[in-house]
Amino acid sequence: MILYHGSNIVVKSPKIVTPNRGIDFGKGFYTTTNREQAAAFARKVVARKGGQPLVSVYQFDEALAYKQLKLLSFDGVSDTWFDFVLNCRRGNEPTEAVDCVYGAVANDDVYLTIQLYETGVLSIEQAKEQLKVKKLFNQLVFKTAESLKYLIYTDRLEVDHAAS
């Protein structure tokens, strides 16, 4: 499987990063199978921090890795996914030991829906219904040093500053 990571630097040797705010799946190294999603994230990083938008490319042997690693996988927008993202974004990352987490990205539209739920504007059923109609891309988050051993850097891609 080919995976992408968007940033303002090339990341040849990924590391587990503890974010300074609550994000979808908590601490880890975030990747996606969607090249354009990684490019869009690289542009966001550059807008905040400067630099050149870049996408690092990796090879990941999922068949081998998943035999050795503990994977938490979410299929679309489910109650479990919603609760997990909500807890991580609140800074309450579940302590269950997993090596990788796979699931949908809670993009800015999704985050707004979550905020509306948290403030009581939407019920949990309404929030999940809204999320089901959003086009959600995927993310595979590497959460342990052991999991990073299966991620092999292969290339870097330069990204236009403007969205295509």
Side-chain angles (χ1 to χ4, degrees), residues 12-161:
K12 291 184 180 181
S13 299
K15 293 181 177 41
I16 306 302
V17 175
T18 300
N20 59 5
R21 68 194 192 301
I23 57 177
D24 293 357
F25 294 159
K27 72 177 182 178
F29 182 74
Y30 281 70
T31 65
T32 180
T33 60
N34 186 295
R35 184 172 148 176
E36 271 310 306
Q37 177 185 324
F41 187 77
R43 288 183 197 101
K44 286 182 182 181
V45 171
V46 167
R48 286 192 318 258
K49 298 180 178 181
Q52 170 68 33
L54 299 165
V55 172
S56 299
V57 184
Y58 307 91
Q59 182 64 44
F60 177 64
D61 185 344
E62 70 218 91
L64 176 64
Y66 294 161
K67 287 179 186 174
Q68 307 294 322
L69 302 173
K70 185 170 182 187
L71 171 71
L72 176 59
S73 183
F74 298 103
D75 186 24
V77 175
S78 65
D79 290 354
T80 310
W81 173 86
F82 188 83
D83 290 342
F84 191 86
V85 170
L86 193 59
N87 280 319
C88 287
R89 284 188 172 243
R90 288 177 173 165
N92 301 321
E93 183 175 347
T95 57
E96 176 187 331
V98 295
D99 297 296
C100 296
V101 180
Y102 177 83
V105 173
N107 62 22
D108 292 342
D109 290 340
V110 174
Y111 191 57
L112 176 60
T113 301
I114 290 171
Q115 285 180 316
L116 292 172
Y117 163 71
E118 288 184 306
T119 58
V121 174
L122 296 177
S123 69
I124 192 163
E125 291 80 17
Q126 291 170 317
K128 284 189 286 190
E129 200 55 41
Q130 280 197 8
L131 295 176
K132 288 178 183 174
V133 300
K134 305 279 185 200
K135 182 177 180 183
L136 301 179
F137 294 113
N138 67 39
Q139 57 192 343
L140 177 58
V141 181
F142 294 80
K143 300 189 71 58
T144 63
E146 182 63 26
S147 67
L148 291 175
K149 294 177 183 176
Y150 295 89
L151 195 60
I152 299 170
Y153 173 83
T154 60
D155 199 5
R156 74 174 211 157
L157 307 172
E158 292 188 15
V159 176
D160 290 335
H161 281 274

